[in-house]
Amino acid sequence: MGLFSKKKKDEEKLDELTPALKAKLNEIAERGNQFEDEEKYEEAVRIWEEGLKLIPEPQQFYSETIWFLAAIGDVYFKKGIYPKAHECFDKARGNLSGGGYRNPFIMLRLGECCLEIGDEKNAVEYLLRAYMMEGKEIFEPDENGEDDGQKYFDFLRTHVEHIE
């Protein structure tokens, strides 16, 4: 059986998430967001990991997986735990529901993580993807004035011509 046939067969086995499960996942995501807002990061990660466990295998075929991986990865990134953050964002990037590679935030964080762990080649690729999707704005501080992306934008400009 060829790879395409196997992938097609795997996709046929997937069921849509039930409305009840989607509602539960939304509830868990919100609880995690509340913990994050209260700066209770360990609790946020714990609750999001619980949500991730509820998504059936193969998880990479469900877009909901991206939500939880990105949220968990973002907490690790903010805490400076770059290898764990990289792991989360790399899994989100590989999500087969199609969202990972098309998500500028995933590309940005993955590029930032790559730079922080010393993988400059991939840092350039992912930061450039984020830039191409969102422009320089993606490197701007968030509404709280946090997450200064200037360091990463400067890195990108020194490695890619014609970025202003």
Side-chain angles (χ1 to χ4, degrees), residues 1-10:
M1 175 183 307
L3 181 62
F4 180 74
S5 300
K6 180 170 178 10
K7 181 180 175 194
K8 185 88 172 138
K9 201 170 201 175
D10 286 344

Side-chain angles (χ1 to χ4, degrees), residues 69 72-91 108-119 147-148 151-152:
L69 288 172
I72 294 165
D74 198 41
V75 167
Y76 286 137
F77 182 83
K78 289 174 182 175
K79 293 180 71 66
I81 307 171
Y82 301 116
K84 288 193 109 173
H86 179 272
E87 183 181 321
C88 290
F89 286 109
D90 195 44
K91 284 181 185 174
L108 175 69
R109 278 292 193 255
L110 192 51
E112 291 170 334
C113 289
C114 285
L115 185 59
E116 295 297 341
I117 63 174
D119 182 357
D147 191 26
D148 182 18
K151 165 185 171 180
Y152 304 103

Side-chain angles (χ1 to χ4, degrees), residues 46-66:
R46 182 185 51 74
I47 199 89
W48 289 326
E49 285 175 342
E50 285 178 22
L52 198 52
K53 288 177 185 171
L54 294 177
I55 299 171
E57 292 291 341
Q59 290 183 331
Q60 71 268 23
F61 288 100
Y62 297 99
S63 61
E64 290 80 1
T65 303
I66 292 176

Side-chain angles (χ1 to χ4, degrees), residues 150-164:
Q150 190 64 46
K151 165 185 171 180
Y152 304 103
F153 184 71
D154 290 343
F155 168 80
L156 185 61
R157 281 194 339 207
T158 64
H159 289 79
V160 177
E161 291 182 31
H162 308 297
I163 292 192
E164 302 286 329

Side-chain angles (χ1 to χ4, degrees), residues 127 132 139 154 156:
L127 292 172
M132 290 172 66
F139 295 94
D154 290 343
L156 185 61

Side-chain angles (χ1 to χ4, degrees), residues 2-69:
L3 181 62
F4 180 74
S5 300
K6 180 170 178 10
K7 181 180 175 194
K8 185 88 172 138
K9 201 170 201 175
D10 286 344
E11 288 175 358
E12 288 172 5
K13 286 190 253 178
L14 293 178
D15 294 321
E16 283 292 314
L17 298 179
T18 65
L21 180 53
K22 283 186 177 192
K24 177 84 172 157
L25 293 173
N26 284 333
E27 177 187 315
I28 288 170
E30 280 305 312
R31 278 203 339 236
N33 291 343
Q34 288 173 338
F35 282 131
E36 183 184 28
D37 290 345
E38 296 167 6
E39 298 183 11
K40 296 178 180 176
Y41 299 117
E42 289 79 17
E43 289 92 338
V45 168
R46 182 185 51 74
I47 199 89
W48 289 326
E49 285 175 342
E50 285 178 22
L52 198 52
K53 288 177 185 171
L54 294 177
I55 299 171
E57 292 291 341
Q59 290 183 331
Q60 71 268 23
F61 288 100
Y62 297 99
S63 61
E64 290 80 1
T65 303
I66 292 176
W67 307 344
F68 290 109
L69 288 172

